[in-house]
Amino acid sequence: VAAATLAGVNFTTGTPSPSSAATIDPQSDFRVWESTVAITTRKVDMTRFSLRQIGSVNANDLNNFRLLVDGVQVGDTVSNLQELSVGDYLVFDLSDDPKTLETGNRVVKVLADVLNGSNRTFQFSLRNTADATFIDSQFNVNVLPQAAGGTFTARSTGIQTIGTAAVTVTKTSDS
């Protein structure tokens, strides 16, 4: 019989950013999900990170999903929502090149380009502990993420609504 203390992975913020927005305009590098993760005891390797997309956006409305840790992109860019895995999950598979997270607070965020989607909504959610895979660097076993204060619950952003489009036609004075 052996006893060991595994590394700790704790999502420290209750609600990830961004909160609900009245409307957003199409733009590049929109932050669709962000949270702080506290790594304790020793470093861990993140091998998978997935978020569920909830909302009415079409597959081509959001584009170029990028996972960043402390402001640096990790893994490959996911082109668009058509590349989502089963069940509307956006999956960043880092198993071939895991991201090492040193002890301390780490900011994990996902950026995307908002291209279209007039009056449509989206929301991203880390649904459960199986959606993020962290491996203890010393014992080489999975570490279940926890939440600040104990039990892990879904970490969902606010609902984002893409603004309605408007067209303005102006008649020139000499026509």
Side-chain angles (χ1 to χ4, degrees):
V1 176
T5 301
L6 295 178
V9 177
N10 299 296
F11 285 87
T12 60
T13 53
T15 303
S17 298
S19 59
S20 294
T23 58
I24 61 169
D25 292 325
Q27 58 191 280
S28 297
D29 296 333
F30 182 78
R31 178 185 54 168
V32 298
W33 193 93
E34 179 179 330
S35 186
T36 300
V37 180
I39 309 300
T40 60
T41 308
R42 73 184 60 82
K43 64 185 176 182
V44 296
D45 292 325
M46 181 170 60
T47 60
R48 181 177 178 275
F49 191 80
S50 62
L51 297 172
R52 184 165 185 200
Q53 191 288 123
I54 305 163
S56 60
V57 293
N58 291 320
N60 62 349
D61 292 338
L62 304 177
N63 198 326
N64 297 324
F65 292 92
R66 295 165 311 284
L67 174 65
L68 290 88
V69 175
D70 293 334
V72 177
Q73 182 173 343
V74 296
D76 295 329
T77 298
V78 176
S79 296
N80 58 44
L81 291 175
Q82 290 176 337
E83 292 185 15
L84 290 181
S85 298
V86 177
D88 292 330
Y89 275 87
L90 171 64
V91 178
F92 294 95
D93 181 0
L94 308 172
S95 57
D96 289 340
D97 188 20
K99 171 61 179 167
T100 299
L101 303 179
E102 298 290 339
T103 57
N105 289 335
R106 304 285 153 242
V107 176
V108 178
K109 71 175 146 183
V110 176
L111 300 177
D113 297 339
V114 180
L115 302 177
N116 305 304
S118 180
N119 210 32
R120 294 193 178 271
T121 63
F122 64 88
Q123 176 182 29
F124 284 87
S125 179
L126 182 69
R127 303 300 291 172
N128 58 58
T129 58
D131 288 341
T133 305
F134 300 93
I135 299 174
D136 185 292
S137 62
Q138 183 176 347
F139 294 106
N140 201 31
V141 296
N142 286 3
V143 176
L144 288 178
Q146 299 295 317
T151 306
F152 185 92
T153 56
R155 299 292 200 233
S156 303
T157 64
I159 297 170
Q160 307 302 307
T161 302
I162 301 170
T164 55
V167 175
T168 304
V169 178
T170 305
K171 180 179 174 183
T172 63
S173 59
D174 61 349
S175 67

